[in-house]
Amino acid sequence: MGVRHFLTLTDLTSAELRALLARAVELKVRHAAGQLYEPLKNRVLGMIFEKSSTRTRVSFEAAMTQFGGHAIFLSPRDSQLGRGEPVEDTARVLSRMVDCVMIRTYEHEKAERFAAHSGVPVINALTDRFHPCQLLADVQTYLEHRGEIRGRTVVWLGDGNNMCHSYLHAAGRFDFELRVACPEGFDPDPRILAGAGAHARVVRDPLQAASGADLVVTDVWASMGQEEEHLARARAFEPYRVTPEIMARAKPDALFMHCLPAHRGEEVAAEVIDGPQSVVWDEAENRLHSQKALLEFLLCAH
Ligand code: CP
Ligand code: NVA
């Protein structure tokens, strides 16, 4: 097989994803025990960030350092990408110098074009359409707290955005039921919803959607690039805030997740994100461990 990319969860089979997350759990334990493991010694990850980031940048950079390699941060402001060098040319050049490229950008097609011209694996670190790396961390977190996510009921509240699209892919890949509760006009892409088949459906009423759920997930109401829509969106999304009432409808042992950054009092009440059912800090930490497993999968012979 040629070079493998990770642009969406569907680039890996269910079996590969399950093995990757089992490996992430193992790498986390070994790291906590202080074991040195440097499978990527002298290897280099190029990281292109056309949007802001805290977790993604730090987790990939820390992962490469802990694995004995190095990461290079590139932004359009101080690279030729910002001066109009075609993405195809950048891909051809970078992939002759580094071992893997991570890209966070706006149009998903740009990440696809980059991958099509790259001789090394390309990882999608968020586009307007998908955020697959976050799903690795989310499913690992569920696994660690509650066991297999297979057969469980997950409710997505809020915007039918990039995170929602990756949850739709995850429902199929990890075999769980996804209820999508978005205000009218903010549903996910109908083709991605349809692609999830019987694993997903829209449930318009947020209380009904949360009923009996094992996991409640939300995200910001205005994603990066939608800042000017913030006020109009806030009005539409008001009934979709994750409140203690929503959590009370879910199973008593339901978990709450949010990819972060969060806005307390908007998409989630402070009592929920700072409450006992919230696992958002473990979820953020697991970006590091699951991406280490991803880098190992893509870069080490297996
Ligand atoms: N969740 C996430 O991707 O966070 P950053 O935008 O801080 O990378
Ligand atoms: N939907 C959010 C996720 C941030 C990690 C955004 O795209 O801004």
Side-chain angles (χ1 to χ4, degrees):
M1 194 180 286
V3 60
R4 301 280 301 265
H5 301 297
F6 186 64
L7 299 185
T8 74
L9 285 178
T10 62
D11 285 329
L12 268 62
T13 66
S14 296
E16 285 172 335
L17 287 168
R18 288 207 180 90
L20 192 152
L21 293 188
R23 181 66 179 153
V25 172
E26 196 178 315
L27 288 171
K28 182 177 181 175
V29 171
R30 286 196 193 185
H31 182 66
Q35 284 180 23
L36 200 64
Y37 178 55
E38 299 186 322
L40 298 184
K41 200 152 179 60
N42 298 321
R43 313 283 289 275
V44 180
L45 172 72
M47 306 193 299
I48 299 172
F49 280 99
E50 297 197 325
K51 288 176 174 175
S52 303
S53 170
T54 297
R55 279 144 289 268
T56 305
R57 177 178 177 181
V58 175
S59 55
F60 270 112
E61 198 162 329
M64 285 305 293
T65 302
Q66 290 169 14
F67 266 2
H70 182 73
I72 300 175
F73 175 81
L74 293 155
S75 83
R77 216 169 36 148
D78 41 34
S79 71
Q80 301 291 2
L81 266 171
R83 297 182 60 251
E85 181 163 15
V87 68
E88 292 83 355
D89 293 359
T90 308
R92 283 187 273 239
V93 172
L94 282 190
S95 68
R96 285 173 180 235
M97 298 177 178
V98 303
D99 301 281
C100 187
V101 175
M102 183 236 81
I103 181 164
R104 169 169 285 197
T105 189
Y106 290 85
E107 309 84 15
H108 187 71
E109 295 67 31
K110 195 167 180 179
E112 288 178 333
R113 283 194 284 133
F114 194 102
H117 294 85
S118 169
V120 300
V122 176
I123 297 170
N124 173 7
L126 183 147
T127 62
D128 286 345
R129 278 174 83 69
F130 299 105
H131 194 7
C133 289
Q134 184 67 50
L135 263 291
L136 298 180
D138 286 22
V139 178
Q140 182 187 345
T141 307
Y142 193 87
L143 185 65
E144 289 174 341
H145 282 268
R146 295 284 183 270
E148 287 292 329
I149 201 165
R150 182 183 195 149
R152 305 288 185 158
T153 301
V154 179
V155 56
W156 173 267
L157 272 110
D159 194 12
N161 62 12
N162 45 8
M163 275 295 298
C164 180
H165 290 157
S166 285
Y167 259 93
L168 285 164
H169 280 165
R173 280 295 191 258
F174 292 102
D175 196 15
F176 59 80
E177 181 199 336
L178 181 66
R179 297 186 197 144
V180 178
C182 307
E184 208 120 21
F186 296 95
D187 284 346
D189 182 321
R191 286 165 302 177
I192 301 172
L193 180 67
H199 286 105
R201 67 195 160 98
V202 171
V203 180
R204 195 67 68 198
D205 176 46
L207 286 169
Q208 199 188 322
S211 175
D214 296 288
L215 171 62
V216 179
V217 196
T218 193
D219 185 14
V220 292
W221 290 342
S223 285
M224 289 181 272
Q226 299 174 327
E227 287 78 8
E228 69 293 347
E229 295 172 33
H230 187 264
L231 268 181
R233 283 175 163 264
R235 274 191 290 276
F237 284 97
E238 187 73 26
Y240 292 84
R241 173 176 306 126
V242 181
T243 57
E245 294 70 46
I246 292 276
M247 292 306 292
R249 288 295 183 106
K251 290 216 180 102
D253 70 343
L255 297 177
F256 170 76
M257 291 191 200
H258 188 312
C259 63
L260 305 176
H263 302 79
R264 288 170 177 76
E266 286 189 35
E267 73 272 8
V268 59
E271 305 95 287
V272 173
I273 192 168
D274 298 320
Q277 288 170 284
S278 171
V279 289
V280 296
W281 313 122
D282 291 338
E283 181 187 3
E285 178 188 335
N286 282 338
R287 294 294 303 279
L288 171 67
H289 309 294
S290 56
Q291 287 161 198
K292 277 178 156 176
L294 175 66
L295 289 164
E296 189 188 49
F297 174 86
L298 293 173
L299 296 177
C300 301
H302 51 271

